[in-house]
Amino acid sequence: MERKPLVAIVGRPNVGKSTFVNRLIGNRQSIVDDMPGVTRDRIYFDVEWQHKQFTVIDTGGIIPGDDDEIMLSIYTQAETACSEADKIVFIVDGKEGINPIDYDIANILRQSGKPVFLAVNKIDSHNAALMTSEFYSLAIGEPVAISALHGSGGVGDLLDMITEDFIPDYKIQEEEEKIVRIAIVGRPNAGKSSIVNSLLGEKRVIVSDVSGTTRDSIDSKLVYENQEFIIIDTAGIRKKSRVDYGVEKFAVDRAIRSIRECDVTILVIDAKEGISDQDKKIASIITEAGKGMVIAVNKWDLIEDKNPNTLNKFEQNLIREIPFLSYIPKIYISAKTHQRLNQIFIKANEIYAQSVKRISTGLLNKVINDAYVMNPPQSVKNKRLKILYTTQVDVQPPTFVLFTNNGTLLKDHYKRYIENKLREAFGFFGVPVRISVRERSAKQ
């Protein structure tokens, strides 16, 4: 599903931005205080107006050119909010009147190229037209008189203008009912086609003890618990040195392409043979493609003399052999007896939800800042890494950018530490997490 439209709320300090946001979301989640700079980070809230959903970004008050370190940080956060937003609401103080800083902000907003809506706040009287007329000089557009505190004035009119071209939620649900694509992958003869046939309840693909029977990726649609899935059976992926050119090479290429085009992969491992180097290679292909994954240990019914510790020992061995996949769920199934096959759908749904999860920037920065304070990185040649702020830039897979003072100071072990803290806080079970670095000076 596409992300909700983003609307940034900007303006100089103490004009009522957070009060306006609280009015939109219906409760007091943004801190409101007369002291400028109370809201420092970009804070994201979901809003619904007339069946139209969008996300508002509450920003700190902008004072262009202010040399104070905190105010510079607030300005950077607001600037970033404007760059990622689809629309901008510029709030000014109707009681106080126009301020020279308002002109500076208006100039910045015009350069953004985004649609900007001018809201003149703190107007409770009937002389709205008279009190807003001077704000035409900002050359932003028609001023809309509002009272964020009381919800009176043109708050509704303003929201109508902002959401005019947003798609109603019921239409989004009708048009974007997500079908989760599951690719069944693994080395030859691990039982992939048998799993697909058992899931479909029919002999949809050829099953044989001869490896390489499936020559092409085969798509089949089915419904489980009112959720539609597309199951993709793929050719077994063998080592390059053992792949014949021609039809088999094409089939392997199609299997790899299916991994790149699916939402979730089921990596099938033969319980009797255990994990192989080729299984590890396929797992690496899946991870590099940024896809969610479930490890399905098939033919579990063939394991003899099982006891309460058998599964635990097998899982410990998997973790020892592929430690980089410790975040991946494992299921123990049998295509022949249908044992726990429904777990494929349950886990695929859970992992898809994890892969499209978005974290609000305010909460994200709190987690990263806390992690930094608990375990700051070691200095290198008297230089220490500083994480200025963090933002999530993409999903499938969840992708984060750390803005730092010096990217070379972020070592692999500390990046793994940050990833572990993200997983502790937000889950991301079954999906890879990508972290990249951008340099930005503390006073930029």
Side-chain angles (χ1 to χ4, degrees):
M1 186 174 176
E2 293 184 1
R3 70 166 174 81
K4 298 172 185 175
L6 289 174
V7 178
I9 313 299
V10 301
R12 59 187 174 85
N14 209 30
V15 295
K17 296 183 300 299
S18 294
T19 304
F20 179 67
V21 170
N22 287 336
R23 171 63 53 188
L24 297 185
I25 61 180
N27 53 39
R28 188 167 172 164
Q29 291 194 34
S30 248
I31 300 172
V32 178
D33 197 285
D34 288 334
M35 181 181 293
V38 170
T39 303
R40 296 183 181 181
D41 291 325
R42 307 193 310 282
I43 307 174
Y44 294 66
F45 299 105
D46 289 331
V47 175
E48 181 174 343
W49 176 255
Q50 303 293 353
H51 302 292
K52 296 177 180 180
Q53 294 189 359
F54 58 101
T55 300
V56 292
I57 314 172
D58 187 14
T59 66
I62 302 175
I63 303 182
D66 193 299
D67 292 329
D68 179 79
E69 186 175 346
I70 291 176
M71 294 310 297
L72 273 173
S73 174
I74 291 172
Y75 175 79
T76 301
Q77 292 281 349
E79 187 181 46
T80 304
C82 290
S83 67
E84 67 178 305
D86 300 299
K87 298 184 179 182
I88 301 167
V89 177
F90 178 22
I91 296 185
V92 293
D93 192 326
K95 275 190 176 179
E96 185 177 312
I98 206 158
N99 183 294
I101 295 175
D102 293 330
Y103 286 107
D104 294 336
I105 296 172
N107 289 333
I108 293 169
L109 296 183
R110 276 195 297 273
Q111 293 171 17
S112 73
K114 305 290 179 66
V116 181
F117 301 86
L118 180 59
V120 184
N121 192 25
K122 305 182 184 179
I123 295 183
D124 303 313
S125 70
H126 297 293
N127 298 322
L130 185 63
M131 297 179 70
T132 60
S133 59
E134 67 172 312
F135 291 96
Y136 278 98
S137 63
L138 293 173
I140 286 292
E142 182 178 356
V144 180
I146 67 169
S147 172
L149 182 62
H150 300 107
S152 56
V155 172
D157 294 337
L158 178 63
L159 289 172
D160 286 341
M161 293 164 61
I162 295 168
T163 62
E164 181 181 10
D165 58 350
F166 291 175
I167 302 173
D169 184 52
Y170 58 84
K171 287 190 177 180
I172 293 175
Q173 292 176 352
E174 290 172 1
E175 295 170 8
E176 298 188 7
E177 193 67 45
K178 177 62 186 177
I179 301 176
V180 179
R181 296 177 61 86
I182 303 174
I184 312 292
V185 302
R187 54 194 171 95
N189 213 29
K192 299 182 300 299
S193 295
S194 296
I195 290 172
V196 172
N197 287 336
S198 295
L199 292 175
L200 298 174
E202 58 179 279
K203 198 166 184 178
R204 175 71 174 79
V205 292
I206 301 170
V207 178
S208 171
D209 289 332
V210 179
S211 63
T213 304
T214 302
R215 291 293 192 183
D216 203 354
S217 298
I218 301 172
D219 296 5
S220 302
K221 185 182 288 187
L222 54 80
V223 177
Y224 179 82
E225 297 288 338
N226 297 319
Q227 168 67 54
E228 282 190 290
F229 296 89
I230 291 178
I231 305 295
I232 310 166
D233 184 34
T234 64
I237 302 174
R238 294 202 288 173
K239 291 182 179 179
K240 279 187 176 180
S241 59
R242 297 183 181 178
V243 175
D244 295 328
Y245 282 91
V247 175
E248 186 178 7
K249 183 179 185 305
F250 175 77
V252 171
D253 289 344
R254 278 293 305 275
I256 294 174
R257 193 172 79 185
S258 293
I259 290 173
R260 292 174 181 152
E261 294 176 351
C262 74
D263 296 308
V264 179
T265 55
I266 308 296
L267 174 57
V268 181
I269 293 175
D270 190 317
K272 292 287 286 183
E273 297 185 18
I275 193 163
S276 68
D277 289 339
Q278 185 61 7
D279 292 324
K280 298 175 189 176
K281 176 63 177 175
I282 297 170
S284 295
I285 293 171
I286 296 168
T287 303
E288 288 168 11
K291 300 302 177 181
M293 187 191 324
V294 178
I295 294 178
V297 182
N298 190 31
K299 308 179 185 179
W300 192 245
D301 58 306
L302 300 182
I303 300 297
E304 299 174 352
D305 301 323
K306 286 195 284 288
N307 60 61
N309 291 323
T310 303
L311 189 148
N312 188 43
K313 288 180 179 179
F314 198 99
E315 186 144 335
Q316 288 178 347
N317 184 56
L318 282 178
I319 294 172
R320 185 168 57 251
E321 291 290 330
I322 46 172
F324 68 97
L325 294 183
S326 59
Y327 60 89
I328 299 297
K330 291 86 177 173
I331 57 176
Y332 297 82
I333 65 174
S334 169
K336 184 177 180 180
T337 66
H338 293 212
Q339 184 181 21
R340 288 187 284 272
L341 283 185
N342 65 321
Q343 287 293 311
I344 289 177
F345 299 116
I346 295 170
K347 293 298 181 185
N349 245 346
E350 291 175 355
I351 289 171
Y352 174 73
Q354 295 288 317
S355 72
V356 298
K357 182 187 293 184
R358 284 191 180 272
I359 308 301
S360 71
T361 303
L363 181 57
L364 181 60
N365 277 279
K366 183 181 185 308
V367 169
I368 297 298
N369 291 341
D370 288 349
Y372 184 93
V373 170
M374 287 174 58
N375 181 22
Q378 293 182 342
S379 59
V380 179
K381 296 181 179 179
N382 294 323
K383 293 182 179 180
R384 187 184 296 275
L385 172 75
K386 292 182 181 178
I387 301 176
L388 305 177
Y389 68 95
T390 308
T391 186
Q392 183 177 357
V393 295
D394 209 352
V395 296
Q396 290 189 291
T399 305
F400 302 88
V401 174
L402 305 181
F403 288 86
T404 69
N405 60 327
N406 188 332
T408 62
L409 297 176
L410 181 63
K411 304 303 180 183
D412 288 342
H413 72 277
Y414 202 77
K415 187 183 285 189
R416 287 193 295 272
Y417 166 72
I418 292 295
E419 178 183 337
N420 289 336
K421 288 300 178 182
L422 288 172
R423 292 189 184 280
E424 286 178 16
F426 306 117
F428 297 123
F429 306 115
V431 297
V433 170
R434 289 181 175 167
I435 299 173
S436 62
V437 181
R438 292 183 194 168
E439 290 185 12
R440 175 169 290 184
S441 65
K443 291 191 177 182
Q444 186 172 342

